[in-house]
Amino acid sequence: MLEDLSLRIFQVLDRELSKDGILLVEQLPSLISKLEAAIAQDATDRQGQSEEKHKTDRLGQRAFPFLELLKSSLKHNDPIVWGH
């Protein structure tokens, strides 16, 4: 399930999911905007769905920690590095 979430987030960000990587500080504003737009679109798409379906697999809920990581990294002017 976490791999599916990671893959979905990286698809939204137009990035390849890999074992090693870096998100540069210069890239963060664009990545934040893309993820926020996808979360808003997901919420719009879910309007009118059944209550049970509406509660499951919400991008906003599942991606919130990653979005907060992006924002915090931007605030502190730090890149995000993984795998090394």
Side-chain angles (χ1 to χ4, degrees):
M1 184 151 103
L2 289 177
E3 185 175 331
D4 292 344
L5 171 62
S6 298
L7 182 59
R8 186 171 177 197
I9 289 172
F10 273 72
Q11 287 172 338
V12 165
L13 301 179
D14 296 322
R15 302 275 308 204
E16 183 177 333
L17 180 60
S18 61
K19 292 182 181 183
D20 305 324
I22 185 169
L23 301 176
L24 301 173
V25 173
E26 304 83 46
Q27 297 170 317
L28 296 177
S30 172
L31 298 175
I32 291 167
S33 293
K34 286 180 182 181
L35 189 52
E36 288 177 333
I39 290 168
Q41 184 62 51
D42 183 67
T44 299
D45 292 347
R46 291 177 175 283
Q47 289 178 351
Q49 291 182 345
S50 70
E51 188 65 27
E52 185 175 313
K53 178 74 173 172
H54 186 72
K55 289 182 179 179
T56 60
D57 196 27
R58 293 186 333 215
L59 180 62
Q61 180 181 18
R62 296 180 71 205
F64 182 77
F66 189 74
L67 181 58
E68 288 301 301
L69 173 67
L70 294 174
K71 290 178 177 181
S72 178
S73 294
L74 180 59
K75 178 180 177 181
H76 296 289
N77 203 32
D78 290 328
I80 299 171
V81 180
W82 66 96
H84 287 289

